[in-house]
Amino acid sequence: MRIYLTEDYDAMSRRAANLISAEVIRNPSCVLGLATGSTPVGTYKQLAAWNQRGDFSFKEVRSVNLDEYKGLAPTHDQSYRYFMQTNLFDHIDIDVNNTNVPNGLAADPVAECARYDELVRSLGYADLQLLGLGRNGHIGFNEPADIFVKETHVVDLTQSTIDANARFFASADDVPRQALTMGIGCIMAARRVLLIASGADKADAVYNAFCGPIDPHCPASILQLHSDVVLVGDKAALSKLVAAGVPVCE
Ligand code: GLP
């Protein structure tokens, strides 16, 4: 595992964008696993700027997103499809038909999860899977639980996640209580995982994920078993790892 320590959020975003663009340049038709949340916003901005400058193209890239809120339409301004359109897809030359986000409005969410699992499998899994990190150690919407769930599934969001995501909604009552999320199986099947973290409120989750036991109560800890993980985090997010003496590169 390689850990890059960056000065701040902007530097984290540039480093992550560098790694993603390197993947796209190396393999123009790669499959990118994409994430939502506030952490990747700067990474997406940087990628869009380089793409608009003509440095590289997303024309042949295929993408699979991690998750979607159950019950939100793609046009809802807090849906993850809407997030991806407004933060990345609308600003780059990707073919929208090659982008995939679970359908939060599916009449049969369990069938939708099975369809999504099969889709990701048929694409050969992600060449590079970008991940953010929940304060409780969740990845995608794989919440702390007694077991790691392998398949794409419908999940009940924990109160901690509802509270953390309430800032994007008019009130905590408006946050959907369920989501569809890629399971740990698809995430671990990605050839490379790139986890990004910023801010002091992620320091415990980062520490638990990479220095704690491999435990489904900290879902990100499963990444310790992946053979190609890159963690890019700013000083605040990596503070506990650094204090514990974990080697990092700059
Ligand atoms: C959400 C998403 C995750 C994301 C996490 C952290 O719940 N489902 O994919 O990593 O929140 O979000 P943020 O980056 O805003 O802290």
Side-chain angles (χ1 to χ4, degrees), residues 34-41 66-69 80 130-135 138-143 157 161 164-165 167-168 179 181 196 198 201-202:
L34 298 175
T36 52
S38 48
T39 312
V41 169
L66 285 165
D67 47 12
E68 179 59 284
Y69 286 114
Y80 285 167
L130 177 65
L131 294 177
L133 182 64
R135 287 177 214 170
H138 75 237
I139 45 178
F141 266 135
N142 289 275
E143 293 279 40
L157 301 182
T161 297
N165 291 357
R167 67 192 194 278
F168 300 115
T181 185
I196 55 176
S198 171
D201 62 340
K202 298 292 173 72

Side-chain angles (χ1 to χ4, degrees), residues 173-239:
D173 290 344
D174 295 326
V175 183
R177 267 35 188 179
Q178 288 188 307
L180 284 66
T181 185
M182 209 186 257
I184 294 297
C186 282
I187 294 172
M188 290 297 283
R191 265 180 280 287
R192 170 176 271 192
V193 173
L194 168 58
L195 188 138
I196 55 176
S198 171
D201 62 340
K202 298 292 173 72
D204 282 324
V206 169
Y207 179 82
N208 293 335
F210 296 104
C211 293
I214 298 168
D215 180 340
H217 292 100
C218 177
S221 64
I222 193 81
L223 299 174
Q224 292 177 40
L225 296 178
H226 195 287
S227 59
D228 190 354
V229 176
V230 181
L231 165 63
V232 181
D234 63 17
K235 281 187 169 160
L238 299 196
S239 59

